mmCIF file of all heavy atoms in Angstrom:
data_model
loop_
_atom_site.group_PDB
_atom_site.id
_atom_site.type_symbol
_atom_site.label_atom_id
_atom_site.label_comp_id
_atom_site.label_asym_id
_atom_site.label_seq_id
_atom_site.Cartn_x
_atom_site.Cartn_y
_atom_site.Cartn_z
ATOM 1 N N ARG L 1 -16.808 22.396 -115.607
ATOM 2 C CA ARG L 1 -15.898 23.374 -116.195
ATOM 3 C C ARG L 1 -16.167 23.436 -117.661
ATOM 4 O O ARG L 1 -16.085 22.414 -118.377
ATOM 5 C CB ARG L 1 -14.477 23.058 -115.867
ATOM 6 C CG ARG L 1 -13.442 24.064 -116.514
ATOM 7 C CD ARG L 1 -12.014 23.649 -116.196
ATOM 8 N NE ARG L 1 -11.656 22.399 -116.765
ATOM 9 C CZ ARG L 1 -11.088 22.247 -117.958
ATOM 10 N NH1 ARG L 1 -10.935 23.320 -118.729
ATOM 11 N NH2 ARG L 1 -10.760 21.069 -118.418
ATOM 12 N N THR L 2 -16.572 24.586 -118.186
ATOM 13 C CA THR L 2 -16.749 24.782 -119.568
ATOM 14 C C THR L 2 -15.436 24.719 -120.361
ATOM 15 O O THR L 2 -14.467 25.376 -119.998
ATOM 16 C CB THR L 2 -17.437 26.173 -119.914
ATOM 17 O OG1 THR L 2 -18.679 26.194 -119.175
ATOM 18 C CG2 THR L 2 -17.672 26.401 -121.356
ATOM 19 N N VAL L 3 -15.425 23.851 -121.386
ATOM 20 C CA VAL L 3 -14.196 23.700 -122.192
ATOM 21 C C VAL L 3 -14.357 24.251 -123.604
ATOM 22 O O VAL L 3 -13.337 24.495 -124.268
ATOM 23 C CB VAL L 3 -13.723 22.231 -122.231
ATOM 24 C CG1 VAL L 3 -13.286 21.769 -120.781
ATOM 25 C CG2 VAL L 3 -14.743 21.298 -122.786
ATOM 26 N N ALA L 4 -15.556 24.424 -124.022
ATOM 27 C CA ALA L 4 -15.808 25.003 -125.375
ATOM 28 C C ALA L 4 -17.175 25.619 -125.463
ATOM 29 O O ALA L 4 -18.122 25.146 -124.831
ATOM 30 C CB ALA L 4 -15.632 23.933 -126.444
ATOM 31 N N ARG L 5 -17.261 26.721 -126.221
ATOM 32 C CA ARG L 5 -18.514 27.379 -126.493
ATOM 33 C C ARG L 5 -18.490 27.804 -127.954
ATOM 34 O O ARG L 5 -17.490 28.280 -128.432
ATOM 35 C CB ARG L 5 -18.694 28.684 -125.707
ATOM 36 C CG ARG L 5 -19.024 28.527 -124.242
ATOM 37 C CD ARG L 5 -19.219 29.888 -123.623
ATOM 38 N NE ARG L 5 -19.383 29.792 -122.202
ATOM 39 C CZ ARG L 5 -20.564 29.629 -121.643
ATOM 40 N NH1 ARG L 5 -21.648 29.604 -122.375
ATOM 41 N NH2 ARG L 5 -20.655 29.520 -120.361
ATOM 42 N N GLU L 6 -19.617 27.572 -128.651
ATOM 43 C CA GLU L 6 -19.732 28.015 -130.040
ATOM 44 C C GLU L 6 -21.165 28.578 -130.237
ATOM 45 O O GLU L 6 -22.101 28.177 -129.558
ATOM 46 C CB GLU L 6 -19.525 26.842 -131.043
ATOM 47 C CG GLU L 6 -18.127 26.268 -131.077
ATOM 48 C CD GLU L 6 -17.106 27.220 -131.620
ATOM 49 O OE1 GLU L 6 -17.440 28.097 -132.513
ATOM 50 O OE2 GLU L 6 -15.934 27.151 -131.243
ATOM 51 N N LYS L 7 -21.223 29.490 -131.202
ATOM 52 C CA LYS L 7 -22.521 30.097 -131.530
ATOM 53 C C LYS L 7 -22.622 30.255 -133.026
ATOM 54 O O LYS L 7 -21.686 30.734 -133.682
ATOM 55 C CB LYS L 7 -22.602 31.474 -130.854
ATOM 56 C CG LYS L 7 -23.860 32.283 -131.206
ATOM 57 C CD LYS L 7 -23.848 33.566 -130.476
ATOM 58 C CE LYS L 7 -24.942 34.486 -130.810
ATOM 59 N NZ LYS L 7 -24.846 35.805 -130.120
ATOM 60 N N VAL L 8 -23.773 29.881 -133.585
ATOM 61 C CA VAL L 8 -24.013 30.088 -134.999
ATOM 62 C C VAL L 8 -25.280 30.898 -135.094
ATOM 63 O O VAL L 8 -26.308 30.545 -134.647
ATOM 64 C CB VAL L 8 -24.243 28.719 -135.748
ATOM 65 C CG1 VAL L 8 -24.523 28.904 -137.222
ATOM 66 C CG2 VAL L 8 -23.015 27.807 -135.556
ATOM 67 N N MET L 9 -25.149 32.034 -135.824
ATOM 68 C CA MET L 9 -26.277 32.952 -136.008
ATOM 69 C C MET L 9 -27.054 32.433 -137.243
ATOM 70 O O MET L 9 -26.444 32.349 -138.372
ATOM 71 C CB MET L 9 -25.855 34.378 -136.229
ATOM 72 C CG MET L 9 -25.309 35.059 -134.989
ATOM 73 S SD MET L 9 -26.498 35.195 -133.663
ATOM 74 C CE MET L 9 -27.720 36.234 -134.355
ATOM 75 N N LEU L 10 -28.334 32.166 -137.085
ATOM 76 C CA LEU L 10 -29.180 31.704 -138.229
ATOM 77 C C LEU L 10 -30.322 32.638 -138.552
ATOM 78 O O LEU L 10 -30.775 32.642 -139.698
ATOM 79 C CB LEU L 10 -29.727 30.324 -137.875
ATOM 80 C CG LEU L 10 -28.659 29.205 -137.812
ATOM 81 C CD1 LEU L 10 -29.286 27.978 -137.268
ATOM 82 C CD2 LEU L 10 -28.052 28.923 -139.147
ATOM 83 N N ARG L 11 -30.822 33.345 -137.588
ATOM 84 C CA ARG L 11 -31.987 34.287 -137.802
ATOM 85 C C ARG L 11 -33.196 33.572 -138.395
ATOM 86 O O ARG L 11 -33.885 34.107 -139.290
ATOM 87 C CB ARG L 11 -31.568 35.464 -138.620
ATOM 88 C CG ARG L 11 -30.258 36.090 -138.221
ATOM 89 C CD ARG L 11 -30.213 37.220 -137.269
ATOM 90 N NE ARG L 11 -31.345 38.135 -137.318
ATOM 91 C CZ ARG L 11 -31.788 38.767 -136.221
ATOM 92 N NH1 ARG L 11 -31.173 38.553 -135.098
ATOM 93 N NH2 ARG L 11 -32.735 39.540 -136.279
ATOM 94 N N LEU L 12 -33.473 32.308 -137.954
ATOM 95 C CA LEU L 12 -34.622 31.622 -138.476
ATOM 96 C C LEU L 12 -35.901 32.365 -138.147
ATOM 97 O O LEU L 12 -36.907 32.314 -138.913
ATOM 98 C CB LEU L 12 -34.670 30.228 -137.882
ATOM 99 C CG LEU L 12 -33.525 29.318 -138.206
ATOM 100 C CD1 LEU L 12 -33.661 27.981 -137.374
ATOM 101 C CD2 LEU L 12 -33.351 29.076 -139.630
ATOM 102 N N GLY L 13 -35.926 33.051 -137.039
ATOM 103 C CA GLY L 13 -37.145 33.810 -136.654
ATOM 104 C C GLY L 13 -37.588 34.841 -137.684
ATOM 105 O O GLY L 13 -38.719 35.169 -137.884
ATOM 106 N N ASP L 14 -36.586 35.443 -138.357
ATOM 107 C CA ASP L 14 -36.839 36.463 -139.360
ATOM 108 C C ASP L 14 -37.695 35.854 -140.463
ATOM 109 O O ASP L 14 -38.654 36.456 -140.973
ATOM 110 C CB ASP L 14 -35.581 37.028 -139.951
ATOM 111 C CG ASP L 14 -34.865 37.939 -139.012
ATOM 112 O OD1 ASP L 14 -35.431 38.318 -137.942
ATOM 113 O OD2 ASP L 14 -33.681 38.266 -139.306
ATOM 114 N N GLU L 15 -37.340 34.682 -140.943
ATOM 115 C CA GLU L 15 -38.050 33.998 -142.003
ATOM 116 C C GLU L 15 -39.418 33.599 -141.562
ATOM 117 O O GLU L 15 -40.380 33.715 -142.285
ATOM 118 C CB GLU L 15 -37.251 32.821 -142.521
ATOM 119 C CG GLU L 15 -37.943 32.183 -143.719
ATOM 120 C CD GLU L 15 -37.026 31.151 -144.421
ATOM 121 O OE1 GLU L 15 -35.891 31.075 -144.194
ATOM 122 O OE2 GLU L 15 -37.621 30.392 -145.262
ATOM 123 N N VAL L 16 -39.513 33.016 -140.387
ATOM 124 C CA VAL L 16 -40.816 32.672 -139.835
ATOM 125 C C VAL L 16 -41.729 33.863 -139.755
ATOM 126 O O VAL L 16 -42.934 33.759 -140.091
ATOM 127 C CB VAL L 16 -40.653 31.895 -138.534
ATOM 128 C CG1 VAL L 16 -42.069 31.652 -137.900
ATOM 129 C CG2 VAL L 16 -39.953 30.612 -138.712
ATOM 130 N N GLY L 17 -41.195 34.947 -139.266
ATOM 131 C CA GLY L 17 -42.007 36.155 -139.150
ATOM 132 C C GLY L 17 -42.485 36.678 -140.480
ATOM 133 O O GLY L 17 -43.605 37.193 -140.629
ATOM 134 N N ALA L 18 -41.615 36.528 -141.524
ATOM 135 C CA ALA L 18 -41.997 37.063 -142.846
ATOM 136 C C ALA L 18 -42.911 36.076 -143.607
ATOM 137 O O ALA L 18 -43.739 36.515 -144.325
ATOM 138 C CB ALA L 18 -40.736 37.338 -143.664
ATOM 139 N N THR L 19 -42.683 34.801 -143.495
ATOM 140 C CA THR L 19 -43.434 33.798 -144.303
ATOM 141 C C THR L 19 -44.307 32.860 -143.566
ATOM 142 O O THR L 19 -45.090 32.159 -144.131
ATOM 143 C CB THR L 19 -42.440 32.967 -145.148
ATOM 144 O OG1 THR L 19 -41.667 32.114 -144.272
ATOM 145 C CG2 THR L 19 -41.464 33.859 -145.994
ATOM 146 N N GLY L 20 -44.085 32.788 -142.195
ATOM 147 C CA GLY L 20 -44.871 31.853 -141.451
ATOM 148 C C GLY L 20 -44.336 30.466 -141.389
ATOM 149 O O GLY L 20 -44.927 29.584 -140.814
ATOM 150 N N ARG L 21 -43.122 30.242 -142.014
ATOM 151 C CA ARG L 21 -42.532 28.935 -142.000
ATOM 152 C C ARG L 21 -41.011 29.035 -142.166
ATOM 153 O O ARG L 21 -40.489 30.113 -142.508
ATOM 154 C CB ARG L 21 -43.165 28.069 -143.087
ATOM 155 C CG ARG L 21 -42.979 28.677 -144.479
ATOM 156 C CD ARG L 21 -43.792 27.918 -145.556
ATOM 157 N NE ARG L 21 -43.192 26.644 -145.943
ATOM 158 C CZ ARG L 21 -42.302 26.571 -146.958
ATOM 159 N NH1 ARG L 21 -41.957 27.619 -147.677
ATOM 160 N NH2 ARG L 21 -41.779 25.389 -147.259
ATOM 161 N N ILE L 22 -40.394 27.910 -141.999
ATOM 162 C CA ILE L 22 -38.934 27.801 -142.250
ATOM 163 C C ILE L 22 -38.747 27.082 -143.560
ATOM 164 O O ILE L 22 -39.205 25.971 -143.747
ATOM 165 C CB ILE L 22 -38.197 27.030 -141.081
ATOM 166 C CG1 ILE L 22 -38.337 27.728 -139.809
ATOM 167 C CG2 ILE L 22 -36.743 26.815 -141.489
ATOM 168 C CD1 ILE L 22 -37.800 26.959 -138.620
ATOM 169 N N GLY L 23 -38.229 27.788 -144.551
ATOM 170 C CA GLY L 23 -38.117 27.267 -145.889
ATOM 171 C C GLY L 23 -36.969 26.295 -146.040
ATOM 172 O O GLY L 23 -36.162 26.057 -145.104
ATOM 173 N N PRO L 24 -36.825 25.703 -147.216
ATOM 174 C CA PRO L 24 -35.813 24.686 -147.500
ATOM 175 C C PRO L 24 -34.385 25.211 -147.310
ATOM 176 O O PRO L 24 -33.520 24.484 -146.725
ATOM 177 C CB PRO L 24 -36.036 24.288 -148.932
ATOM 178 C CG PRO L 24 -37.385 24.728 -149.239
ATOM 179 C CD PRO L 24 -37.710 25.879 -148.375
ATOM 180 N N GLU L 25 -34.072 26.390 -147.695
ATOM 181 C CA GLU L 25 -32.730 26.914 -147.551
ATOM 182 C C GLU L 25 -32.353 27.179 -146.093
ATOM 183 O O GLU L 25 -31.283 26.820 -145.662
ATOM 184 C CB GLU L 25 -32.555 28.212 -148.272
ATOM 185 C CG GLU L 25 -31.203 28.902 -148.154
ATOM 186 C CD GLU L 25 -29.975 28.085 -148.570
ATOM 187 O OE1 GLU L 25 -30.154 27.137 -149.422
ATOM 188 O OE2 GLU L 25 -28.890 28.293 -148.030
ATOM 189 N N ALA L 26 -33.328 27.719 -145.362
ATOM 190 C CA ALA L 26 -33.103 27.918 -143.897
ATOM 191 C C ALA L 26 -32.969 26.574 -143.173
ATOM 192 O O ALA L 26 -32.212 26.437 -142.270
ATOM 193 C CB ALA L 26 -34.206 28.748 -143.310
ATOM 194 N N THR L 27 -33.753 25.618 -143.599
ATOM 195 C CA THR L 27 -33.696 24.257 -143.007
ATOM 196 C C THR L 27 -32.293 23.667 -143.278
ATOM 197 O O THR L 27 -31.699 23.079 -142.393
ATOM 198 C CB THR L 27 -34.793 23.342 -143.577
ATOM 199 O OG1 THR L 27 -36.078 23.918 -143.262
ATOM 200 C CG2 THR L 27 -34.691 21.985 -143.020
ATOM 201 N N ARG L 28 -31.762 23.802 -144.488
ATOM 202 C CA ARG L 28 -30.439 23.319 -144.823
ATOM 203 C C ARG L 28 -29.396 23.975 -143.932
ATOM 204 O O ARG L 28 -28.512 23.356 -143.378
ATOM 205 C CB ARG L 28 -30.124 23.500 -146.273
ATOM 206 C CG ARG L 28 -28.762 22.901 -146.683
ATOM 207 C CD ARG L 28 -28.204 23.436 -147.989
ATOM 208 N NE ARG L 28 -28.018 24.931 -148.010
ATOM 209 C CZ ARG L 28 -27.056 25.576 -147.370
ATOM 210 N NH1 ARG L 28 -26.163 24.922 -146.627
ATOM 211 N NH2 ARG L 28 -26.990 26.879 -147.443
ATOM 212 N N ARG L 29 -29.505 25.314 -143.785
ATOM 213 C CA ARG L 29 -28.517 26.022 -142.919
ATOM 214 C C ARG L 29 -28.584 25.528 -141.474
ATOM 215 O O ARG L 29 -27.540 25.368 -140.789
ATOM 216 C CB ARG L 29 -28.771 27.542 -142.988
ATOM 217 C CG ARG L 29 -28.396 28.188 -144.240
ATOM 218 C CD ARG L 29 -28.414 29.714 -144.204
ATOM 219 N NE ARG L 29 -29.281 30.332 -143.186
ATOM 220 C CZ ARG L 29 -30.507 30.751 -143.423
ATOM 221 N NH1 ARG L 29 -31.054 30.657 -144.670
ATOM 222 N NH2 ARG L 29 -31.184 31.338 -142.500
ATOM 223 N N ALA L 30 -29.807 25.277 -140.997
ATOM 224 C CA ALA L 30 -29.964 24.798 -139.641
ATOM 225 C C ALA L 30 -29.354 23.395 -139.504
ATOM 226 O O ALA L 30 -28.668 23.148 -138.451
ATOM 227 C CB ALA L 30 -31.452 24.813 -139.219
ATOM 228 N N LEU L 31 -29.643 22.523 -140.417
ATOM 229 C CA LEU L 31 -29.048 21.179 -140.349
ATOM 230 C C LEU L 31 -27.543 21.185 -140.432
ATOM 231 O O LEU L 31 -26.819 20.472 -139.766
ATOM 232 C CB LEU L 31 -29.636 20.291 -141.457
ATOM 233 C CG LEU L 31 -31.140 19.971 -141.244
ATOM 234 C CD1 LEU L 31 -31.660 19.231 -142.447
ATOM 235 C CD2 LEU L 31 -31.333 19.179 -140.004
ATOM 236 N N ASP L 32 -27.007 22.060 -141.341
ATOM 237 C CA ASP L 32 -25.538 22.190 -141.443
ATOM 238 C C ASP L 32 -24.937 22.757 -140.112
ATOM 239 O O ASP L 32 -23.865 22.251 -139.662
ATOM 240 C CB ASP L 32 -25.166 23.164 -142.530
ATOM 241 C CG ASP L 32 -25.380 22.571 -143.943
ATOM 242 O OD1 ASP L 32 -25.624 21.401 -144.083
ATOM 243 O OD2 ASP L 32 -25.361 23.413 -144.925
#
């Protein structure tokens, strides 16, 4: 039985598409 669901939008794919990598700021957001 599901008791909790959460979702965090990060859009990491946008940065990878634009720069080819995940930069330091996006990495910090992902870790947070």
